[in-house]
Amino acid sequence: MRIFLGLLASLLGFVAVHLFRWGDQYGLPWLMVIVAILTSLYGRGWGGLAAVLALALDGWLGGARHLGWSAVLLGITFVIADLIGRDLRRAYLRQQETAAQLSLLVAALEELSGLGSQVAILRALPELLGRHGEGHVSVWQPQPGGMGLVSAVGLDPSAPSLLPERGVVARCARQGQRVYLGDVRQDSDYIALPNSNIQSELALPLLERGQVIAVLNLERPGPFSPRELEGFEHFAQAVSTQLTQLSERGELQFLNQLSTSLDSATTPVGVAERALALLVGALGLEQGWLWMQQGTRMVALAVYGGETPLTEIPYAQGLVWEVYHTGRPTYAQDYSENPRAIPEFRQAFGGVVAHPVFLSNQERPRVVLSLQQKSPRMWREAEQDLLAAACRTLGLALDGALAAQQRDELIALSHEAAEAPVEEVYRKILETAVRLVPGAEAGSLLVREGATFRFKALLGFDPSLKSHVFSEAEQFHWYAGSAQDWYRGEPRVLSSAHTDLKQFSNEEILVSGRIEEIASNLALPVVYRGEVLAILYLDNLHDPAAFGEDSLTVARFFATPIAALLHEVRYRGLLERAAATDALTGLLNRRAFDHRLEEELGRAQRYGHPLGLLVMDLRGFKRINDSLGHAKGDEALVRVAEVLERSKRDGDVLFRWGGDEFAVLLSNTNLAGATAAAQRYAAAIESVCMEGLALGVNIGAAAYPADAKDGDTLLQRADQRMYQAKSSGVSVMAL
């Protein structure tokens, strides 16, 4: 229509020129202008037609005398206008195409900007582009085994929802750059659908923080122009920028939420539970654990979601222990295919991550976060960045909570120790140390007794070690440090990877002390006012690198309150010993016997060992007391105590009940052994003679469990046999 109006206006103008008799001067120039305008604007076709019509009009109205000259000028005008107009028309068309495509893409981006998640953006893309004129539009995401369909518009319902890794879309994801097929029939990787009229395909990567997370795929019956290719590539880059900004903003918001939530948690379990709930939800997973190393076990500090009953992992099994040893996170797309998978859970897990959580002064992560879902999962770099930042925040929160827990446990230990028996205090100190010091799985506590040290508490070792006594020089040799550090209470670590620990031991305790099994040993001299009150040994039987700087830090923190506690216990022990000791003979008294009988009987019941009991009544003591006086009588009692001490075995405990009555508890001794011991003690007592007056003794022997199952019955049986011995005129009565 515009061309017709243009021609009509030109014709009327030309006629007007001749009506006013300006034809000779302006007719031909007017025609040249008309031809130039029409040629430049509408191309050669309409320009050529205009030139022919102009020449015909010029010949009709102006005569034939100048027709040849007019033809030359009009031809030149046509050629020049065509050359100039071609570039103008191309520029105009480019501008029109660019404006149209820009309008389309800007409208799409405006709609996408209102979406608040990556999933929402990827799902909305096909519909937005399809709404603005694009036909086959689809978005695909990398998945184990290929590219999975997220959303599509215009695709045949029979199209696959998972594309193989050899296709155009997968190639775009691998290369991270645009892939364009002008003619899909020329590419062997193109996946054609039946009865498809598609000619060209354009695959564009969508990136999040530089990593391809999806591919935008467009298909047409015709080709894409270079300007369209450029425009769509800029559009994909704009979407990628939006995805990156959304990811970074989401990560910042999540970390702020995590930090705020963890700040209000007061215990390690509370910190762990809150962190797991937030992480599992933010990553769309199904179950999470926070593991903490306790010796040779990874114990679940907290579990969130899921149905998998996993609360403990033995040493060196699974991805969690791998992270402990390497200090690096491990991401598994499919747990069932991982060679480090725990066999019984191989089929229960799909995508799994195990991530270290470092605490202060740690060379190895003793806390490990693990998350999982049942189906396989590809872990994006943005998710890995989020987990790394979250674990740093989690580590700071756990540092504070664990320090508070350690403080609270030591306070509770001090309160308990004020009322507990001395032996119970020693046991609690050792158990608390093994629980609190990172890397410990077993241990022992040796306490000073005068100039020697004796095992008072054991965890993971044979109880027979309690019968061994060591000099301070022997313990200093095992400490293997400087005298300055010894008296300063500085902890030290020995590792079997660098030191032969057998060189510090003797054959006597090599087996019961499990010296050859110890992989790493931490020794802490417990010092109070310059004196080593005790030595705490903590052991790991599996890992030569179990103890690190964090272990030494906790041991130092542990040392001062434990030194004060042991000093208090020793002072209380001296008072209790005085109350439980016979002032004349130095043997334990009847009060101590009652307590010790209950204690030894409980130990025998726990370990299934026998327990022997001897009850003694001296013969001839009254005659010495009456004939020689009470001073000689007391001397006789002291000499009896001395010969009993010389005759006792390790593990025998001697008592003076009062007057001329004595008793002996024989650990791990049956009735036959008790009878033999009674004969030995009787011979020792009968060697005592005071100014020609000899002593004798009547002894009743009994044993648990052969004679009795409880202390009262055992004592009655021994007492009965002592009276039987007296009435029968024999020294020992057992049956």
Side-chain angles (χ1 to χ4, degrees), residues 720-735:
Q720 289 171 0
R721 289 175 178 165
M722 185 268 291
Y723 281 108
Q724 289 175 7
K726 183 179 293 188
S727 61
S728 301
V730 297
S731 297
V732 177
M733 178 64 69
L735 297 175

PDB file of all heavy atoms in Angstrom, residues 720-735:
ATOM      1  N   GLN A 720      32.015 -69.428 112.134  1.00  0.00           N
ATOM      2  CA  GLN A 720      31.640 -70.751 112.637  1.00  0.00           C
ATOM      3  C   GLN A 720      32.834 -71.696 112.583  1.00  0.00           C
ATOM      4  O   GLN A 720      33.094 -72.462 113.535  1.00  0.00           O
ATOM      5  CB  GLN A 720      30.487 -71.308 111.821  1.00  0.00           C
ATOM      6  CG  GLN A 720      29.155 -70.606 112.044  1.00  0.00           C
ATOM      7  CD  GLN A 720      28.091 -71.054 111.049  1.00  0.00           C
ATOM      8  OE1 GLN A 720      28.358 -71.902 110.183  1.00  0.00           O
ATOM      9  NE2 GLN A 720      26.892 -70.486 111.177  1.00  0.00           N
ATOM     10  N   ARG A 721      33.546 -71.686 111.490  1.00  0.00           N
ATOM     11  CA  ARG A 721      34.693 -72.602 111.338  1.00  0.00           C
ATOM     12  C   ARG A 721      35.834 -72.229 112.278  1.00  0.00           C
ATOM     13  O   ARG A 721      36.617 -73.091 112.704  1.00  0.00           O
ATOM     14  CB  ARG A 721      35.140 -72.601 109.876  1.00  0.00           C
ATOM     15  CG  ARG A 721      34.126 -73.321 108.976  1.00  0.00           C
ATOM     16  CD  ARG A 721      34.485 -73.236 107.511  1.00  0.00           C
ATOM     17  NE  ARG A 721      33.502 -73.990 106.704  1.00  0.00           N
ATOM     18  CZ  ARG A 721      33.366 -73.879 105.393  1.00  0.00           C
ATOM     19  NH1 ARG A 721      34.155 -73.042 104.723  1.00  0.00           N
ATOM     20  NH2 ARG A 721      32.472 -74.593 104.757  1.00  0.00           N
ATOM     21  N   MET A 722      35.973 -70.950 112.590  1.00  0.00           N
ATOM     22  CA  MET A 722      36.998 -70.563 113.559  1.00  0.00           C
ATOM     23  C   MET A 722      36.674 -71.170 114.942  1.00  0.00           C
ATOM     24  O   MET A 722      37.565 -71.701 115.630  1.00  0.00           O
ATOM     25  CB  MET A 722      37.066 -69.037 113.642  1.00  0.00           C
ATOM     26  CG  MET A 722      38.190 -68.513 114.551  1.00  0.00           C
ATOM     27  SD  MET A 722      37.629 -68.259 116.252  1.00  0.00           S
ATOM     28  CE  MET A 722      36.535 -66.868 116.025  1.00  0.00           C
ATOM     29  N   TYR A 723      35.387 -71.118 115.337  1.00  0.00           N
ATOM     30  CA  TYR A 723      35.001 -71.703 116.621  1.00  0.00           C
ATOM     31  C   TYR A 723      35.119 -73.225 116.582  1.00  0.00           C
ATOM     32  O   TYR A 723      35.461 -73.873 117.597  1.00  0.00           O
ATOM     33  CB  TYR A 723      33.579 -71.282 116.988  1.00  0.00           C
ATOM     34  CG  TYR A 723      33.517 -69.876 117.556  1.00  0.00           C
ATOM     35  CD1 TYR A 723      32.969 -68.833 116.817  1.00  0.00           C
ATOM     36  CD2 TYR A 723      34.031 -69.612 118.829  1.00  0.00           C
ATOM     37  CE1 TYR A 723      32.918 -67.545 117.330  1.00  0.00           C
ATOM     38  CE2 TYR A 723      33.981 -68.326 119.356  1.00  0.00           C
ATOM     39  CZ  TYR A 723      33.429 -67.295 118.604  1.00  0.00           C
ATOM     40  OH  TYR A 723      33.397 -66.024 119.134  1.00  0.00           O
ATOM     41  N   GLN A 724      34.862 -73.812 115.424  1.00  0.00           N
ATOM     42  CA  GLN A 724      35.043 -75.260 115.291  1.00  0.00           C
ATOM     43  C   GLN A 724      36.515 -75.638 115.470  1.00  0.00           C
ATOM     44  O   GLN A 724      36.845 -76.653 116.097  1.00  0.00           O
ATOM     45  CB  GLN A 724      34.541 -75.729 113.930  1.00  0.00           C
ATOM     46  CG  GLN A 724      33.018 -75.691 113.772  1.00  0.00           C
ATOM     47  CD  GLN A 724      32.572 -76.055 112.361  1.00  0.00           C
ATOM     48  OE1 GLN A 724      33.387 -76.451 111.535  1.00  0.00           O
ATOM     49  NE2 GLN A 724      31.273 -75.917 112.107  1.00  0.00           N
ATOM     50  N   ALA A 725      37.397 -74.797 114.885  1.00  0.00           N
ATOM     51  CA  ALA A 725      38.836 -75.057 115.047  1.00  0.00           C
ATOM     52  C   ALA A 725      39.241 -74.961 116.511  1.00  0.00           C
ATOM     53  O   ALA A 725      40.040 -75.761 117.024  1.00  0.00           O
ATOM     54  CB  ALA A 725      39.629 -74.058 114.195  1.00  0.00           C
ATOM     55  N   LYS A 726      38.685 -73.968 117.217  1.00  0.00           N
ATOM     56  CA  LYS A 726      39.010 -73.778 118.633  1.00  0.00           C
ATOM     57  C   LYS A 726      38.527 -74.974 119.453  1.00  0.00           C
ATOM     58  O   LYS A 726      39.259 -75.496 120.317  1.00  0.00           O
ATOM     59  CB  LYS A 726      38.372 -72.480 119.130  1.00  0.00           C
ATOM     60  CG  LYS A 726      38.707 -72.156 120.581  1.00  0.00           C
ATOM     61  CD  LYS A 726      38.072 -70.849 121.027  1.00  0.00           C
ATOM     62  CE  LYS A 726      38.691 -69.672 120.284  1.00  0.00           C
ATOM     63  NZ  LYS A 726      38.231 -68.371 120.846  1.00  0.00           N
ATOM     64  N   SER A 727      37.305 -75.418 119.191  1.00  0.00           N
ATOM     65  CA  SER A 727      36.762 -76.542 119.962  1.00  0.00           C
ATOM     66  C   SER A 727      37.440 -77.849 119.598  1.00  0.00           C
ATOM     67  O   SER A 727      37.498 -78.789 120.396  1.00  0.00           O
ATOM     68  CB  SER A 727      35.250 -76.649 119.736  1.00  0.00           C
ATOM     69  OG  SER A 727      34.958 -76.885 118.364  1.00  0.00           O
ATOM     70  N   SER A 728      37.958 -77.926 118.367  1.00  0.00           N
ATOM     71  CA  SER A 728      38.621 -79.159 117.928  1.00  0.00           C
ATOM     72  C   SER A 728      40.095 -79.159 118.270  1.00  0.00           C
ATOM     73  O   SER A 728      40.777 -80.169 118.067  1.00  0.00           O
ATOM     74  CB  SER A 728      38.447 -79.340 116.412  1.00  0.00           C
ATOM     75  OG  SER A 728      37.067 -79.393 116.065  1.00  0.00           O
ATOM     76  N   GLY A 729      40.624 -78.019 118.721  1.00  0.00           N
ATOM     77  CA  GLY A 729      42.022 -77.948 119.094  1.00  0.00           C
ATOM     78  C   GLY A 729      42.959 -77.918 117.907  1.00  0.00           C
ATOM     79  O   GLY A 729      44.112 -78.336 118.034  1.00  0.00           O
ATOM     80  N   VAL A 730      42.514 -77.399 116.755  1.00  0.00           N
ATOM     81  CA  VAL A 730      43.375 -77.294 115.574  1.00  0.00           C
ATOM     82  C   VAL A 730      43.540 -75.829 115.221  1.00  0.00           C
ATOM     83  O   VAL A 730      42.756 -74.957 115.619  1.00  0.00           O
ATOM     84  CB  VAL A 730      42.786 -78.062 114.376  1.00  0.00           C
ATOM     85  CG1 VAL A 730      42.692 -79.550 114.685  1.00  0.00           C
ATOM     86  CG2 VAL A 730      41.418 -77.518 113.979  1.00  0.00           C
ATOM     87  N   SER A 731      44.546 -75.520 114.427  1.00  0.00           N
ATOM     88  CA  SER A 731      44.805 -74.133 114.043  1.00  0.00           C
ATOM     89  C   SER A 731      43.867 -73.665 112.940  1.00  0.00           C
ATOM     90  O   SER A 731      43.423 -72.515 112.928  1.00  0.00           O
ATOM     91  CB  SER A 731      46.265 -73.982 113.581  1.00  0.00           C
ATOM     92  OG  SER A 731      47.139 -74.262 114.642  1.00  0.00           O
ATOM     93  N   VAL A 732      43.573 -74.558 111.975  1.00  0.00           N
ATOM     94  CA  VAL A 732      42.804 -74.140 110.790  1.00  0.00           C
ATOM     95  C   VAL A 732      41.627 -75.061 110.613  1.00  0.00           C
ATOM     96  O   VAL A 732      41.757 -76.286 110.687  1.00  0.00           O
ATOM     97  CB  VAL A 732      43.693 -74.157 109.520  1.00  0.00           C
ATOM     98  CG1 VAL A 732      42.861 -73.782 108.295  1.00  0.00           C
ATOM     99  CG2 VAL A 732      44.878 -73.214 109.690  1.00  0.00           C
ATOM    100  N   MET A 733      40.474 -74.457 110.333  1.00  0.00           N
ATOM    101  CA  MET A 733      39.280 -75.236 110.036  1.00  0.00           C
ATOM    102  C   MET A 733      38.653 -74.636 108.772  1.00  0.00           C
ATOM    103  O   MET A 733      38.288 -73.454 108.734  1.00  0.00           O
ATOM    104  CB  MET A 733      38.278 -75.192 111.186  1.00  0.00           C
ATOM    105  CG  MET A 733      36.976 -75.943 110.909  1.00  0.00           C
ATOM    106  SD  MET A 733      37.223 -77.743 110.676  1.00  0.00           S
ATOM    107  CE  MET A 733      37.692 -78.223 112.345  1.00  0.00           C
ATOM    108  N   ALA A 734      38.542 -75.493 107.748  1.00  0.00           N
ATOM    109  CA  ALA A 734      37.956 -75.018 106.490  1.00  0.00           C
ATOM    110  C   ALA A 734      36.667 -75.739 106.179  1.00  0.00           C
ATOM    111  O   ALA A 734      35.785 -75.193 105.534  1.00  0.00           O
ATOM    112  CB  ALA A 734      38.945 -75.199 105.337  1.00  0.00           C
ATOM    113  N   LEU A 735      36.525 -76.979 106.582  1.00  0.00           N
ATOM    114  CA  LEU A 735      35.342 -77.770 106.226  1.00  0.00           C
ATOM    115  C   LEU A 735      34.671 -78.293 107.485  1.00  0.00           C
ATOM    116  O   LEU A 735      35.326 -78.515 108.489  1.00  0.00           O
ATOM    117  CB  LEU A 735      35.746 -78.932 105.313  1.00  0.00           C
ATOM    118  CG  LEU A 735      36.333 -78.531 103.947  1.00  0.00           C
ATOM    119  CD1 LEU A 735      36.808 -79.773 103.206  1.00  0.00           C
ATOM    120  CD2 LEU A 735      35.296 -77.796 103.110  1.00  0.00           C
TER     121      LEU A 735
END
